Amino acid sequence: DDGFKSKASGAQPVGAVSDETSSSRSSADDVIILDVGGMSCGSCASSVKKILESQPQVTFASVNLATETAIVRVLCQAEVSQVWHIVKRDLGEALARHLTSCGFKSSVREQGCANGGHTLPVPIRKREERKAHLKELGRRLVVACALTAVCLVGHTSHLLGKWAPSWICLFHSTGFQMSLSLAALVGPGQKLLIDGWKSLWRGSPNMNTLVGLGAISSFTVSAIAALFPTMVMKGFY
C-alpha cells in the first residue's frame, strides 16, 4: 500500500495536466502578428502601439520598428473557442484595416506569398521590399545631391569675389536659388512632405511632419522676403 501511495502521490491530477495544456495552447492562440508599414521613427512605433492597445479586444501590443512587425495579444472568448481560429483571423484583419486607415499600411502575417507558383517566406519578401524601397530612396538622394551641387556652385562666388565669372553670379541670383529650392521640395522631397501632411491630418505626426513643416516654413518666409524685400529682411535660399 505504501509503495502504491508513493507512486500515486507523485502523479499529477488529470485535470491539472489538461488545464496546463489548455493554458499553454491559449497563450499561443491569443497572439496575432501584423506586418506594419509606414513607420519611420520611434514615434511612429509608439503611435502604432497606442492605436492597437486602444482596441477593446487587445490586451497588449509590442511593436518592432526594425522588423516592421507588431505582436498583438487579444482576448480569447470561451464561447467561440470552437471557431476561434476564424474569429482570430477576422480580428487580425480588422486590426490591420484600422492601422491602414490610420496611415500605417498593415496586413496579417502569413507564411509567405505566392511568387511564380512558389511561396516566398515572409523575411525574404520583406527584404526584397526593403531593397526596392532603398533603391527608390537612392534615386531621390541622387537628384537632391545634384540640386545641392548646383546651389554650392552659386555660393562659390563668395569665395572667388571679383574673380568669379559672370555665369557663377547667375547661379547665385535670388530667382535661381528660389527655383532650386522649389524643385527640391516638389521633386525628391515630395513624398516626405505628403507623408508628413497626411500624418499631421490623422493626428499622429511623425518625423516627416517635423522636417516638412520646417522646410515649408523656411521656404515660405524666404519667398516672402524675396518677393517683398521692403517688408522683411532679405531672403536667403
Side-chain angles (χ1 to χ4, degrees), residues 5 14 21 25 78-79 88 99 114 116 118 130 155 163-164 213-214:
K5 286 182 180 178
V14 176
T21 306
R25 182 177 66 250
E79 61 271 17
K88 176 183 172 183
L99 277 178
H118 301 285
R130 185 174 291 275
H155 284 292
W163 293 284
L213 286 175

Side-chain angles (χ1 to χ4, degrees), residues 89 146 212:
R89 182 193 62 198

Side-chain angles (χ1 to χ4, degrees), residues 68 128-138 140:
E68 297 181 332
E128 294 301 320
E129 291 175 354
R130 185 174 291 275
K131 283 182 178 180
H133 180 61
L134 289 175
K135 285 183 179 180
E136 181 190 357
L137 289 179
R140 288 159 55 189

Side-chain angles (χ1 to χ4, degrees), residues 32 34 74 87-97 107-108:
I32 298 174
L34 300 175
V74 296
V87 176
K88 176 183 172 183
R89 182 193 62 198
D90 294 341
L91 179 57
E93 292 175 353
L95 291 174
R97 286 195 300 269
S107 60
V108 181

Side-chain angles (χ1 to χ4, degrees), residues 41 46 51-52 71 80 87 114 117 132 136 142 154 166 172 176 189 197 202 225 228 233-234:
C41 60
S46 178
I51 292 170
L52 289 172
I71 299 176
V80 294
V87 176
E136 181 190 357
V142 168
S166 58
H172 189 58
F176 187 79
W197 169 254
R202 289 187 297 263
F228 307 99
M233 67 178 64
K234 186 178 180 181

Side-chain angles (χ1 to χ4, degrees), residues 159-175:
L159 299 175
L160 298 177
K162 62 180 181 180
W163 293 284
S166 58
W167 60 269
I168 288 185
C169 297
L170 175 65
F171 276 62
H172 189 58
S173 65
T174 301

Side-chain angles (χ1 to χ4, degrees), residues 173-192:
S173 65
T174 301
F176 187 79
Q177 293 289 321
M178 186 167 69
S179 300
L180 280 179
S181 300
L182 184 60
L185 289 176
V186 301
Q190 182 183 20
K191 285 194 173 181
L192 184 148

Side-chain angles (χ1 to χ4, degrees), residues 37-150:
M39 296 187 295
S40 58
C41 60
S43 177
C44 296
S46 178
S47 296
V48 170
K49 179 179 174 67
K50 289 180 181 177
I51 292 170
L52 289 172
E53 292 184 341
S54 67
Q55 301 306 300
Q57 286 188 279
V58 175
T59 60
F60 174 77
S62 176
V63 182
N64 191 313
L65 175 63
T67 59
E68 297 181 332
T69 55
I71 299 176
V72 186
R73 188 174 295 279
V74 296
L75 292 172
C76 178
Q77 300 177 7
E79 61 271 17
V80 294
S81 58
Q82 298 299 324
V83 289
W84 173 240
H85 65 285
I86 300 176
V87 176
K88 176 183 172 183
R89 182 193 62 198
D90 294 341
L91 179 57
E93 292 175 353
L95 291 174
R97 286 195 300 269
H98 182 59
L99 277 178
T100 301
S101 68
C102 293
F104 302 99
K105 187 177 180 181
S106 305
S107 60
V108 181
R109 168 63 64 91
E110 300 173 353
Q111 294 300 319
C113 63
N115 183 25
H118 301 285
T119 300
L120 268 179
V122 173
I124 296 179
R125 172 170 58 86
K126 292 178 73 69
R127 184 177 63 190
E128 294 301 320
E129 291 175 354
R130 185 174 291 275
K131 283 182 178 180
H133 180 61
L134 289 175
K135 285 183 179 180
E136 181 190 357
L137 289 179
R139 289 191 291 267
R140 288 159 55 189
L141 179 62
V142 168
V143 175
C145 288
L147 293 173
T148 303
V150 175

